[in-house]
Amino acid sequence: MDNKPYLVQMNGNGVHGKTTVNAKTLNSTNGKGVHGNSIHHVSVNGSLYPAKAKSRRQRWEVKPSEMSKNTLNPIRAIVDGMKLTPNPDKPMIALSIGDPTVFGNLPTDNTVLQAMKDAIDSQKFNGYAPSVGYLKSRQAVANFYSCPEAPLEAEDVILTSGCSQAIDLAISVLCNPGDNILVPCPGFSLYKTLAVSMGIEVKLYNLLPEKSWEVDLQHLESLIDESTSCLIVTNPSNPCGSVYSKEHLQKIIKVASRHCVPILADEIYSDMVFPGCSCPSMASLSTDVPILSCGGLAKRWLVPGWRMGWILIHDRNDLFGSEIRQGLVKLSQRILGACSIIQGALESILNNTPQSFYNKTISFLKSNSEICFNELSTIPGLNPVMPSGAMYLMVGIDMDHFPDYKNDVDFTESLVTEQSVFCLPASAFEYPNFFALW
C-alpha cells in the first residue's frame, strides 16, 4: 500500500467520515484519533505529517539563554580571580565558608536526626508532595512562627527547596523585568544574582558600620521610585551579623509604608541572636506593609544541605490579594516542591528539638565572635564590628596602615599566601576595604 496521506476530519474523540484507515493508523492515535479539532494529514501507515514542511537549520548553532548569561555570583566573580596559594608551612584556615557543618564542631541535634529516620522508616513520604508542601507540614511551620501580632495559618506557608528558593520565588512573584528592588549593601550576594538574571535592576542601600550596620534610612528612601517593587531587609544580617532593634525595624517599615513598597524579609537567622538582644519578626511590627518572610532549617538547625525553606505570607490588610498567593503557588509548581522526606520530618523537628540545643549553638557562636573581635581589635588598622547574631563578622581595613596592599582583595590574597588564612574580601558584597569572617 502506498504512503499517500489522506485528509481525515477529527474532533478529538475519534475518526469521523467515511475515509478508511488501517489498524496501524488507529494504534498510533490510541483508537481516539489525533487530538485536536482541526484537519490533519494522516498517512495510512500511521505517520503524521504537518501541512507545511518546517524549515531546516543549515548548521548547528546552540546558544545559551539570556538568563544564563546574565546570571553571575559576585562572590565567585571575586574569588575565582584571586591568587590563592596557601603558605605550605601552615595549615589552611578557611574563614570564608557559610556552611556550619564543614568542620564538624556544630552538629545538629539527635532529635533532628531521629525525626529524619522516622520519616524514612514510615515510607509515607516517598512520593510527590503538593508543590506548596504537605498541609500538615505547612501547618507545623505556621504554628511554630505564628504570634498574636502576626498570626499564620497553613495557607500562609509555602514550603521551598531551601531559603534560597524562597527568596527566588518571592522576587519572582513581586517583580517584572525593568522593575527595581532595594538591596542592603553589604548584603547577601544571591539577591543580585537572582534579580539581574531576571532583568530586574538592583539598587543598593547603605548600611552604616559605625551604627552596627543599621540602615541609612535617608539613602534608602532616596532610591525609591515608581518602578520599585520590593524592599529586601536581612535581619539578622549576612554578612554583617547585625541585629536590628525593634525601633529601627519600625523606621524601615515606615519608609516602606510611605511609598507602598512590599518587604521581602530574609529572616533565615531570626532565631540565632546572642543573649541580650531581641529579634522580632518584621511582620509582627507591621500594621499595613505586606511582608513575605523567608526562612528555613539551614542555620538554626544546622542542616543547610537538607534544603528545606519556607515563605510566610503576612498580609493582614489583603494588599497582596489572591493574585500574589496564586502566583506563588504557580511558581512553586516549576520544581514540584521541596523534599518530601524533610517535610515528613518537619513537624517533629520543629516541636521536639530541645531548647538546650539552640542555646548551645548560640553560646558557641557568641564565644567565637568575641574571641575574633577582641583579638582583631588589638591590630592597628583593623576595625572589627562586633556582631549580635548569625555567623558572621565584618572587619574594616584602614588601607593607610597597609600601604603594600591596593585594596581588600589584595589584602586577603596576602593573608592566604603568608598565613594560610582565607577570609572573604567584602568587594564580593560591593563593599570595599572590609573583609568578612564566616
Side-chain angles (χ1 to χ4, degrees):
M1 186 178 289
D2 64 34
N3 290 331
K4 180 181 178 181
Y6 296 87
L7 286 178
V8 183
Q9 178 68 46
M10 318 294 287
N11 69 354
N13 298 314
V15 178
H16 292 264
K18 297 182 179 180
T19 304
T20 302
V21 294
N22 65 12
K24 255 187 175 179
T25 305
L26 291 176
N27 287 341
S28 72
T29 58
N30 297 319
K32 296 182 180 179
V34 181
H35 295 295
N37 297 309
S38 59
I39 294 175
H40 298 263
H41 284 89
V42 182
S43 83
V44 294
N45 70 355
S47 300
L48 303 181
Y49 292 92
K52 183 179 179 181
K54 293 182 179 178
S55 61
R56 184 174 67 85
R57 283 187 178 143
Q58 299 302 309
R59 59 189 176 86
W60 284 98
E61 191 175 10
V62 183
K63 296 181 178 179
S65 68
E66 289 301 312
M67 174 179 277
S68 69
K69 290 192 288 185
N70 291 334
T71 299
L72 175 67
N73 185 325
I75 293 178
R76 295 264 47 98
I78 295 290
V79 173
D80 289 350
M82 295 175 68
K83 300 171 184 177
L84 301 175
T85 305
N87 185 330
D89 298 325
K90 297 186 177 184
M92 185 69 170
I93 300 174
L95 301 177
S96 62
I97 303 173
D99 184 344
T101 71
V102 169
F103 301 107
N105 54 356
L106 281 171
T108 192
D109 192 73
N110 286 334
T111 58
V112 178
L113 298 176
Q114 189 59 51
M116 275 291 288
K117 294 172 185 176
D118 292 343
I120 293 170
D121 290 341
S122 74
Q123 298 196 47
K124 295 179 180 178
F125 307 105
N126 295 335
Y128 289 117
S131 64
V132 293
Y134 290 121
L135 179 62
K136 187 176 181 181
S137 304
R138 295 163 67 204
Q139 188 63 58
V141 174
N143 293 343
F144 192 81
Y145 285 103
S146 186
C147 65
E149 300 80 12
L152 290 166
E153 298 293 340
E155 65 182 11
D156 302 316
V157 178
I158 306 286
L159 298 184
T160 62
S161 180
C163 187
S164 296
Q165 197 210 5
I167 295 166
D168 186 4
L169 296 187
I171 293 175
S172 298
V173 81
L174 294 175
C175 308
N176 285 307
D179 288 350
N180 65 73
I181 62 173
L182 308 179
V183 172
C185 182
F188 185 32
S189 60
L190 182 68
Y191 309 138
K192 183 174 182 179
T193 298
L194 293 172
V196 172
S197 73
M198 300 178 202
I200 299 163
E201 181 187 1
V202 172
K203 293 186 174 182
L204 301 174
Y205 65 85
N206 292 331
L207 306 183
L208 303 171
E210 67 275 14
K211 293 187 176 181
S212 298
W213 301 109
E214 284 189 348
V215 175
D216 183 337
L217 296 168
Q218 186 175 358
H219 183 233
L220 168 66
E221 193 155 14
S222 73
L223 298 175
I224 300 174
D225 60 25
E226 289 297 319
S227 297
T228 302
S229 55
C230 175
L231 163 60
I232 296 180
V233 180
T234 315
N235 186 50
S237 170
N238 172 1
C240 301
S242 56
V243 178
Y244 295 152
S245 67
K246 174 181 176 180
E247 293 73 23
H248 189 60
L249 290 172
Q250 288 172 326
K251 291 176 182 178
I252 297 171
I253 292 169
K254 284 182 180 178
V255 172
S257 178
R258 275 197 295 273
H259 298 275
C260 301
V261 176
I263 290 175
L264 191 171
D266 183 349
E267 299 179 328
I268 185 68
Y269 293 99
S270 64
D271 302 301
M272 301 185 77
V273 177
F274 299 164
C277 297
S278 63
C279 187
S281 69
M282 294 204 77
S284 70
L285 303 176
S286 174
T287 57
D288 62 333
V289 177
I291 294 172
L292 297 180
S293 173
C294 299
L297 290 182
K299 306 303 182 178
R300 184 177 185 184
W301 287 271
L302 306 175
V303 286
W306 288 13
R307 312 310 302 138
M308 173 54 63
W310 46 74
I311 300 173
L312 310 180
I313 305 169
H314 296 279
D315 186 25
R316 67 186 66 192
N317 295 330
D318 200 29
L319 298 173
F320 281 149
S322 62
E323 290 188 341
I324 293 296
R325 290 175 181 270
Q326 291 171 1
L328 285 170
V329 172
K330 291 177 181 179
L331 289 169
S332 74
Q333 293 168 351
R334 294 177 65 183
I335 68 163
L336 301 180
C339 174
S340 59
I341 292 291
I342 315 297
Q343 291 187 53
L346 194 52
E347 184 177 20
S348 179
I349 291 172
L350 296 176
N351 294 337
N352 298 331
T353 305
Q355 184 62 41
S356 59
F357 165 72
Y358 306 132
N359 294 343
K360 182 180 178 181
T361 302
I362 291 171
S363 176
F364 180 89
L365 294 173
K366 182 174 185 290
S367 174
N368 281 8
S369 296
E370 289 174 340
I371 291 170
C372 289
F373 175 81
N374 291 334
E375 294 300 320
L376 290 168
S377 295
T378 66
I379 302 173
L382 295 185
N383 303 298
V385 182
M386 181 63 193
S388 299
M391 300 178 172
Y392 312 100
L393 184 148
M394 288 278 281
V395 183
I397 309 169
D398 185 347
M399 299 309 300
D400 291 338
H401 279 76
F402 304 98
D404 293 337
Y405 307 111
K406 294 178 292 185
N407 50 40
D408 57 310
V409 176
D410 195 24
F411 181 90
T412 51
E413 278 184 347
S414 294
L415 269 180
V416 175
T417 303
E418 297 176 18
Q419 301 297 329
S420 293
V421 175
F422 183 29
C423 304
L424 196 63
S427 289
F429 308 110
E430 300 186 76
Y431 206 83
N433 298 334
F434 273 74
F435 63 87
L437 306 181
W438 289 5

